Amino acid sequence: MKEYNLYPVLESIKNDENIPEHLFEQMLNSYELNIEDFENKKEYPIDFSNLMVDKLFKKENKNFHTILSKESFVNLTNNDDDVPFLVYQPLNDHSRPYLGVGDILFSYRSGQFSDLDTALNTRGIYGLGIAMSNPMKFSNQYQGRDEYKDYGVIVFYPFKLQRHLSVRDIQLNPNTINLPPYNGNRNDSLQYIPNEKHYNKLLGMILYKNPHIRDFLEFMNIHIEESIIPDVLWNKYEKKENIENVNFDYKSAFKDWLKEQPEPEIKLKTQSNYISAINTLESTWNKHYDRKIDIWNNPYFVKNHISKDALFNDTYIKQLNDTQNRTHSSAINYYFEFLEYLQENQIKGINRIYFGAPGTGKSYNIEKFIKENGIANYNDKIDCPNVFRATLHPEFTYTDFVGQVMPVVTPINEDGSNTRIEYRFNPQVFTKALKFAIKHSNEPVFLILEEMSRSNVAAVFGDLFQLLDRDENGESEYRIDNLIISTEIFGGNSTKKIYLPNNFFIIGTVNTSDQNVFVMDTAFKRRFEFEYVDANDVAKDEKQAPLNNFTFHFSGDDDTVDVVFDWINLYRALNDFITNQEEQGLGLSEDKQLGQFFIKFRQNDDSYNYNQFSGKLLEYLWNDVQKVSYSNVSIFKQEISNFSTAYKAVRKGKNIFSHQFLEYLNESKDHNGR
């Protein structure tokens, strides 16, 4: 923050077609700078920026204002759109004297909405801007009362809000309910806020919903505490989310698709005609038939169960088409072509289980799968909001997976002196992941379930088992009623059925050598794709070098040379030796094999790596492999009759392997060229 580089912002302002050069110079004059200063500082932009930062961010005695607009400020909370500044006009003459560089402007979205509840939850503050210029006169076009249209201000947005502060939030706080313009008494385009208590409350509430901005506020010499809306008030107004904002918006997507069509270009008026034609087609069909259709919300029902031919040949729609210059037939053709395009390009969620021997890289394969299916920079070590993970175990239950209703102590009054016990649903990993997937329908969402065979998965999934059947688009074939989950996802006392959307992936792992595990029934297993992770497949980096490799060196006996081998050669030789059904091997099944990541090595830490050999690897080979074999051959030398002897030998750097196994190891070296 000490070196906040404003020079790129200034460059974009200078190049903006809405800001003539003389206005850019006028803005620089606010900082006692001129255009020559700007041009001469290109090589040292930080020095130039520091001159502005002190005045822009560090200004004392800031004034606070609210920018009102019927335009949408949603892009100020959208990470996909970079909006470092906006030019705002008009500027009322009675607000102008209070505005100056470094003042804070609350960017407030107004507008008309279909119902009060939507309006209260949608209107509100979507951004915190800083006045980058004093009021500037853009032109001399107007006289008298209209002169305010000549003035404007450049507003800089140094950060994005993650959650907007709605009118509902503001009105539920008794300290802000009468704050203009939220009480509806003013309609000024820039409303000066003279009451310090009011804007401090607003900032505190914004901070509560956006804790990531605290450092910015401190940097701007704004020191406030989070202001929490009392639960006793908030609970009276449960926020109901509009399902149209949750599900994929097929109408908007169709509009965008029409705009992108190559030659011949579809004119804007024709695009609108197609939308209207589809609306009319739907109402005409539903007027005459009991089997209703919902083209915008359930288009694949129309595609898969009604068909394009049925629409083309329907008597009522043909009459409609003949009276409208065949607009409806063109709209149908384009719409079904659009659905085909979506099917080819949309995310198609699956249920998959990776299974194999211990250390084969099942989790590595999951990370690779996530990268290949929408999150290219995914890393297991870095939190990703689209990835949810749980490890199952014998005590893992449905409530651990879905959630449960729990008692919560809540304050009755604002100071918390009186409390009461309420029961609220506490969602767990499945519900959280499903809610995120439904809200972010254009993004892939992954629920990873490690060690699935260690729990009773039929009991863990319970009624959710029915959701695992997926259609050709990756969505649940069947939906179920689950009031608690539905209410958590859709708000209110929702009665909507729940389902797995097509952007929701369930990925599990099963270790084939685990003992005393639960058995998955056939009905459960058939709802998952099973992908075997071969113990002998070697994972490699970008340069085709094996991952997780280490070279061991053990001294031989008097009659043998030293034994030197790479881990890659060792584990593959062990796998061959373990499964060889003839007299040269142990004759065990593949579930006794081990994988490339059975041991995870550290770079430049030989002591740790040898300890992994003497502890983890040796214990597994002795107790889980050699002990269960009835073969006459052994992994270990004949004179090693107990684990203690083997362990002490390894700790002394002595070879413990038999001549029979060393032959396998040498063959593996020859095969891999090592």
Side-chain angles (χ1 to χ4, degrees):
M1 290 297 296
K2 291 182 180 179
E3 292 191 346
Y4 200 113
N5 189 1
L6 287 168
Y7 200 85
V9 180
L10 295 175
E11 283 275 19
S12 58
I13 292 174
K14 184 176 185 294
N15 297 328
D16 191 283
E17 60 183 14
N18 296 317
I19 303 176
E21 186 172 337
H22 73 277
L23 289 180
F24 180 73
E25 294 185 30
Q26 191 177 331
M27 187 199 76
L28 289 180
N29 290 339
S30 302
Y31 303 90
E32 299 178 356
L33 298 168
N34 55 46
I35 192 67
E36 288 76 16
D37 296 323
F38 177 78
E39 296 292 345
N40 293 335
K41 286 295 182 180
K42 286 184 178 179
E43 294 185 7
Y44 305 100
I46 298 297
D47 292 341
F48 183 84
S49 295
N50 287 340
L51 297 174
M52 301 180 64
V53 165
D54 286 339
K55 192 164 186 177
L56 191 65
F57 287 100
K58 300 293 188 179
K59 177 182 179 179
E60 300 290 342
N61 302 317
K62 295 178 174 65
N63 289 322
F64 289 74
H65 315 260
T66 296
I67 295 178
L68 276 176
S69 176
K70 292 183 179 179
E71 301 296 326
S72 172
F73 279 111
V74 174
N75 54 357
L76 299 178
T77 60
N78 185 341
N79 291 329
D80 294 333
D81 294 319
D82 185 18
V83 187
F85 71 93
L86 292 173
V87 180
Y88 196 81
Q89 292 179 272
L91 189 61
N92 286 354
D93 54 1
H94 59 270
S95 298
R96 225 176 294 147
Y98 303 108
L99 176 66
V101 168
D103 283 352
I104 304 299
L105 297 108
F106 298 98
S107 296
Y108 175 78
R109 178 185 179 182
S110 59
Q112 301 298 317
F113 296 88
S114 58
D115 60 85
L116 179 61
D117 190 63
T118 301
L120 292 177
N121 286 316
T122 305
R123 294 174 185 156
I125 296 172
Y126 281 78
L128 277 182
I130 304 176
M132 209 169 180
S133 69
N134 292 324
M136 301 191 301
K137 192 163 187 178
F138 277 47
S139 70
N140 294 304
Q141 181 178 355
Y142 299 97
Q143 298 291 330
R145 294 181 60 184
D146 286 338
E147 189 180 12
Y148 72 94
K149 297 178 182 177
D150 291 331
Y151 287 86
V153 59
I154 300 174
V155 183
F156 174 51
Y157 294 92
F159 53 83
K160 293 283 186 80
L161 297 185
Q162 293 173 352
R163 298 175 62 195
H164 83 286
L165 185 68
S166 70
V167 174
R168 176 74 82 195
D169 296 326
I170 296 167
Q171 290 190 341
L172 288 178
N173 192 309
N175 293 312
T176 59
I177 190 170
N178 292 317
L179 173 62
Y182 313 108
N183 62 3
N185 292 331
R186 300 298 296 267
N187 61 359
D188 297 72
S189 61
L190 191 146
Q191 173 64 51
Y192 171 56
I193 305 175
N195 191 318
E196 184 176 351
K197 180 181 74 172
H198 283 164
Y199 67 70
N200 273 333
K201 284 293 180 182
L202 285 175
L203 285 173
M205 294 166 74
I206 292 170
L207 176 61
Y208 174 64
K209 301 190 82 171
N210 299 271
H212 68 287
I213 71 171
R214 179 178 292 278
D215 289 342
F216 282 97
L217 296 180
E218 296 290 336
F219 184 68
M220 291 187 285
N221 292 325
I222 302 174
H223 307 287
I224 56 171
E225 296 298 322
E226 295 177 4
S227 176
I228 302 174
I229 303 167
D231 285 343
V232 66
L233 293 173
W234 179 251
N235 290 339
K236 292 180 180 178
Y237 299 93
E238 289 189 359
K239 190 172 181 179
K240 297 180 181 178
E241 299 179 8
N242 190 333
I243 192 65
E244 291 180 0
N245 295 328
V246 174
N247 285 340
F248 184 73
D249 189 344
Y250 285 96
K251 182 185 289 187
S252 297
F254 182 50
K255 289 179 182 177
D256 293 339
W257 181 83
L258 288 173
K259 294 175 185 176
E260 295 171 0
Q261 292 313 293
E263 299 293 338
E265 180 183 352
I266 304 174
K267 297 180 180 179
L268 286 175
K269 184 177 180 181
T270 306
Q271 295 172 23
S272 299
N273 289 341
Y274 287 158
I275 300 295
S276 299
I278 290 176
N279 291 334
T280 307
L281 180 151
E282 178 184 284
S283 60
T284 301
W285 178 279
N286 290 338
K287 180 180 179 181
H288 294 94
Y289 301 104
D290 293 333
R291 197 180 194 188
K292 307 302 182 185
I293 61 174
D294 189 348
I295 288 181
W296 299 124
N297 290 321
N298 194 5
Y300 288 103
F301 174 82
V302 181
K303 180 178 182 295
N304 297 330
H305 300 285
I306 301 297
S307 81
K308 181 167 70 171
D309 289 340
L311 295 177
F312 268 133
N313 297 321
D314 180 75
T315 303
Y316 301 104
I317 293 176
K318 288 173 80 173
Q319 293 175 356
L320 190 66
N321 195 40
D322 291 340
T323 60
Q324 297 294 325
N325 197 26
R326 307 196 64 79
T327 299
H328 292 79
S329 59
S330 297
I332 293 171
N333 274 325
Y334 274 118
Y335 191 71
F336 276 78
E337 188 178 335
F338 161 70
L339 293 180
E340 293 290 345
Y341 166 81
L342 284 186
Q343 279 193 302
E344 292 175 2
N345 293 277
Q346 72 179 357
I347 304 169
K348 295 182 181 179
I350 61 172
N351 311 319
R352 174 177 290 181
I353 291 176
Y354 289 94
F355 71 103
T360 51
K362 295 182 286 293
S363 296
Y364 170 81
N365 275 272
I366 289 177
E367 181 176 343
K368 183 180 177 183
F369 177 84
I370 292 173
K371 289 179 178 179
E372 293 172 350
N373 286 273
I375 308 179
N377 60 349
Y378 176 70
N379 187 324
D380 280 333
K381 295 181 180 179
I382 301 174
D383 285 341
C384 176
N386 296 62
V387 179
F388 299 78
R389 187 187 298 266
T391 302
L392 279 59
H393 53 81
E395 302 301 319
F396 198 85
T397 65
Y398 180 83
T399 55
D400 296 318
F401 189 47
V402 173
Q404 61 182 318
V405 177
M406 300 286 287
V408 178
V409 178
T410 59
I412 296 177
N413 51 357
E414 195 170 351
D415 62 10
S417 57
N418 294 318
T419 61
R420 64 183 176 191
I421 295 178
E422 296 180 345
Y423 289 86
R424 296 183 186 173
F425 178 62
N426 183 30
Q428 294 302 315
V429 63
F430 173 82
T431 306
K432 291 177 181 178
L434 181 61
K435 183 176 183 178
F436 189 91
I438 290 177
K439 282 189 173 182
H440 301 81
S441 58
N442 292 325
E443 304 173 21
V445 177
F446 303 87
L447 173 58
I448 302 171
L449 303 177
E450 302 276 14
E451 309 290 350
M452 287 183 68
S453 60
R454 290 184 175 273
S455 70
N456 184 349
V457 290
V460 169
F461 273 80
D463 59 335
L464 307 178
F465 170 84
Q466 192 70 24
L467 303 179
L468 296 176
D469 275 314
R470 304 226 190 196
D471 62 20
E472 60 183 5
N473 301 310
E475 190 173 290
S476 289
E477 189 81 42
Y478 311 104
R479 304 189 177 203
I480 66 169
D481 293 294
N482 189 308
L483 180 61
I484 291 179
I485 299 178
S486 181
T487 299
E488 173 66 21
I489 292 175
F490 300 111
N493 292 316
S494 173
T495 58
K496 296 182 183 297
K497 295 181 185 294
I498 64 167
Y499 64 99
L500 303 184
N502 59 7
N503 63 322
F504 189 54
F505 296 79
I506 299 179
I507 311 296
T509 65
V510 168
N511 193 338
T512 55
S513 69
D514 283 341
Q515 301 173 23
N516 301 319
V517 297
F518 291 88
V519 177
M520 293 184 187
D521 62 72
T522 303
F524 188 88
K525 287 195 293 185
R526 78 169 184 81
R527 286 165 169 79
F528 282 81
E529 296 179 5
F530 276 75
E531 182 160 325
Y532 176 61
V533 183
D534 193 332
N536 294 307
D537 285 346
V538 178
K540 299 179 180 180
D541 61 19
E542 295 83 0
K543 298 179 180 179
Q544 296 304 302
L547 297 171
N548 192 51
N549 201 10
F550 180 75
T551 301
F552 290 99
H553 189 133
F554 291 102
S555 61
D557 300 324
D558 295 336
D559 60 339
T560 60
V561 296
D562 289 356
V563 180
V564 181
F565 52 84
D566 287 349
W567 164 247
I568 299 298
N569 294 324
L570 174 63
Y571 92 83
R572 298 184 78 184
L574 282 168
N575 288 341
D576 286 343
F577 192 76
I578 288 169
T579 57
N580 192 308
Q581 299 292 329
E582 300 177 3
E583 293 183 359
Q584 294 89 350
L586 300 182
L588 299 175
S589 62
E590 289 185 4
D591 65 0
K592 293 301 180 185
Q593 291 183 327
L594 60 160
Q596 182 177 355
F597 301 95
F598 183 89
I599 295 176
K600 292 186 178 180
F601 299 104
R602 294 178 181 175
Q603 291 184 354
N604 304 318
D605 195 344
D606 290 1
S607 176
Y608 172 86
N609 296 337
Y610 275 95
N611 285 339
Q612 293 294 296
F613 186 102
S614 61
K616 184 183 293 186
L617 177 63
L618 184 58
E619 192 279 333
Y620 178 74
L621 294 177
W622 187 271
N623 291 311
D624 292 339
V625 177
Q626 188 64 57
K627 267 191 176 183
V628 299
S629 172
Y630 294 98
S631 174
N632 293 324
V633 297
S634 172
I635 297 174
F636 305 102
K637 293 163 59 174
Q638 187 174 1
E639 58 267 31
I640 296 178
S641 59
N642 55 60
F643 179 79
S644 176
T645 303
Y647 182 80
K648 289 176 182 178
V650 171
R651 299 293 286 183
K652 291 179 181 179
K654 297 287 186 179
N655 169 52
I656 60 170
F657 294 127
S658 65
H659 288 292
Q660 295 96 325
F661 175 69
L662 288 177
E663 290 180 6
Y664 270 85
L665 187 55
N666 289 328
E667 288 178 7
S668 178
K669 288 182 183 180
D670 294 339
H671 180 72
N672 290 301
R674 292 175 178 272

